Amino acid sequence: MITYLLSIILHLSAFVHAKNVRSPTPPLGWNSYNAYGCQPSENIITSNAKGLVDLGLANLGYTRVTTDCGWLSRNRDSQGRLQWNSTLFPSGPHALGDYLHGLGLKFGLYSGGGYFQCGSTDQPASKGHEVIDSQTFSDWGGDSLKYDNCYAVSPDVMVDNQSEESISPTRFQTMANAIDAVERDFEYYVCQWGIGYNIGTWASAIGNTWRISNDIYNAWRSIWRITNEVVPYWKHTKAGAFADMDMLINGLGALSYEEERFHFSMWAINKSPLILGAKINSASTTKESFDIVKNEEVIAINQDSLASQARLVRRHTVEEWDIWLGELSNSRFVLGVANWKNNSQTVQVDLNAIGIRTADARDVWAKRNLGSVSGVQTINLVGHELKLWTLSNVFASTPLQSAGYYAAAKASLSGSATITTCGSGECLPSGQKVGYIGSGAAVTFSSVSAKSAGTKVLGVDFVQYDIATDSAWGWGDNTRNLTIAVNGGTPKRWAFPISGGDWLESDRLLVEVGGFVQGARNQVVIRNVGSAWAPDLVGFDVLE
């Protein structure tokens, strides 16, 4: 059994040890919620579990079967233990667990750190009952616990994204300690929705996985929203600790097959759990959708033993495409070229500029070896395609070098733009940032040096924590936009994702900007877009 000595969580001094176990790679499985909402039943769970086995999904690692919200009776028993709804689950939890274990699957349980379960007004959750509930889950033979965040503060309010108690780690830590005290091993899945601050720090210390966002929903735009929120979690993802981008919507009829491949690929390279949500039978879910989630090469990327999350290494917002690069075991890499555009386009990927001199490439979805690749690669993308290459025998290129760093706090500010001096280890690398870059504001850098004329890579250090929580159901996308204009040229827009765990943790986005002249005569002007705020700006490197 793997033992973890966990760090102190914010104000907490409790430690979690043996029974809260970690899968070394992201969990794979099936959850009832996406297809059945909060209306599961014994037949639903057993038939879908059998489908995992019959359709070969269990052999690929999809072994965790979780009954989500709706399984409970409204009353605890005389000893205070949770009870299953005997109408929906006539055989009871022990029989259900035995059935799943008999199929070689794992028994996933669900509760929450509030007064009631999500989706109900009277089904009890585990707040204040953590010790007896964790023991009950153990007695039932459970293998994992998804722990949700509804009714955190009041029995009258199901969703509260703002109050101190709802965003605090305390309730999740309390359940982690309770799980640790039982004799059965549990994988613990924190479902706190990514609200509050420093989720990656505290949740990775107690959970095998932790939800980073509001719920996924059946629309393409939710893929963009969640992708922008997962970007900074590479700082916390490692073997046994994985940022959860939420359950897959493959097979639900919400996406085209190309979009389903994109969705599955993006979750896989970011080392998210791959939890199926469709009905696991051939009458309800198409062969094409099953083939996508059964792609063994994509699953292998997700399950790679290095457990390293891919990084967003280039963003081309106006052109609507990104480049992602992640490390794999045995000195390999995964390269993802993501086309967010509705239409087809042809893009140029300069491998040297992202650190690769030569490599042997394989197109994962085409299942085709491409041979040795180097230099600028021309890649044809259909609308909403994510091209996945695995790279082996990689030789690194000479890294781009800084021609000079330009701190925003030393630039010329106008309008509402304001300097903030941050604490130790914050707003890196300069320790200061410029915020409130709104309408009429500008951050102007003069005497910027370039060794040669033309397009340069700028490493833009920024702070952005405008989380799309309440706005997730509309058009919230976890980005703030800014424009960059060089030497009076036409301003160009970039969408900046979430940078970290609060408004003081910075990250770097690499963008390619044209219009530079040779020498120290360049002017760079950064502004907001429209009436919205820009991300807070720490500074930038000119990389050549």
Side-chain angles (χ1 to χ4, degrees), residues 220-398:
W220 167 250
R221 66 180 182 271
S222 69
I223 308 302
W224 168 247
R225 167 177 60 87
I226 295 170
T227 297
N228 282 310
E229 197 159 357
V230 80
V231 171
Y233 283 99
W234 63 269
K235 304 168 191 176
H236 306 286
T237 294
K238 58 186 177 182
F242 304 101
D244 182 359
M245 299 170 75
D246 206 358
M247 295 168 283
L248 296 163
I249 58 173
N250 295 67
L252 298 176
L255 305 175
S256 70
Y257 292 132
E258 195 62 64
E259 290 167 345
E260 287 195 2
R261 279 187 286 272
F262 187 114
H263 173 31
F264 191 59
S265 299
M266 187 62 77
W267 267 231
I269 66 174
N270 280 289
K271 301 301 186 287
S272 174
L274 300 179
I275 306 300
L276 306 176
K279 296 179 180 179
I280 310 299
N281 64 75
S282 299
S284 302
T285 302
T286 65
K287 179 181 183 300
E288 289 83 356
S289 287
F290 279 131
D291 286 345
I292 289 168
V293 300
K294 291 168 75 172
N295 186 299
E296 294 186 47
E297 293 186 50
V298 181
I299 294 171
I301 292 169
N302 178 258
Q303 297 291 294
D304 184 76
S305 60
L306 197 61
S308 179
Q309 181 180 330
R311 301 282 303 276
L312 174 61
V313 296
R314 289 292 188 283
R315 172 152 281 182
H316 301 271
T317 300
V318 174
E319 298 83 1
E320 299 183 67
W321 65 285
D322 292 337
I323 305 175
W324 295 73
L325 188 67
E327 290 185 77
L328 300 174
S329 58
N330 299 317
S331 302
R332 297 172 301 128
F333 289 83
V334 58
L335 174 68
V337 183
N339 183 18
W340 295 104
K341 197 172 186 177
N342 294 335
N343 302 318
S344 299
Q345 63 174 320
T346 299
V347 302
Q348 307 288 323
V349 177
D350 185 349
L351 295 178
N352 275 304
I354 60 172
I356 298 166
R357 180 163 60 86
T358 64
D360 293 336
R362 178 172 173 80
D363 187 322
V364 172
W365 284 107
K367 297 183 178 180
R368 183 165 61 92
N369 293 325
L370 304 177
S372 180
V373 294
S374 61
V376 177
Q377 297 293 304
T378 298
I379 298 179
N380 299 312
L381 300 165
V382 300
H384 295 175
E385 178 183 6
L386 202 169
K387 186 79 73 177
L388 273 189
W389 288 2
T390 52
L391 304 175
S392 58
N393 297 320
V394 177
F395 289 87
S397 61
T398 301

Side-chain angles (χ1 to χ4, degrees), residues 511-525:
V511 300
E512 297 176 8
V513 186
F516 283 87
V517 298
Q518 185 178 17
R521 299 176 290 116
N522 294 284
Q523 182 189 71
V524 176
V525 180

Side-chain angles (χ1 to χ4, degrees), residues 312 315 458-462 494-497 507-511:
L312 174 61
R315 172 152 281 182
L458 299 189
V460 181
D461 297 315
F462 69 102
W494 278 272
F496 281 69
D507 203 355
R508 170 168 284 200
L509 185 67
L510 297 171
V511 300

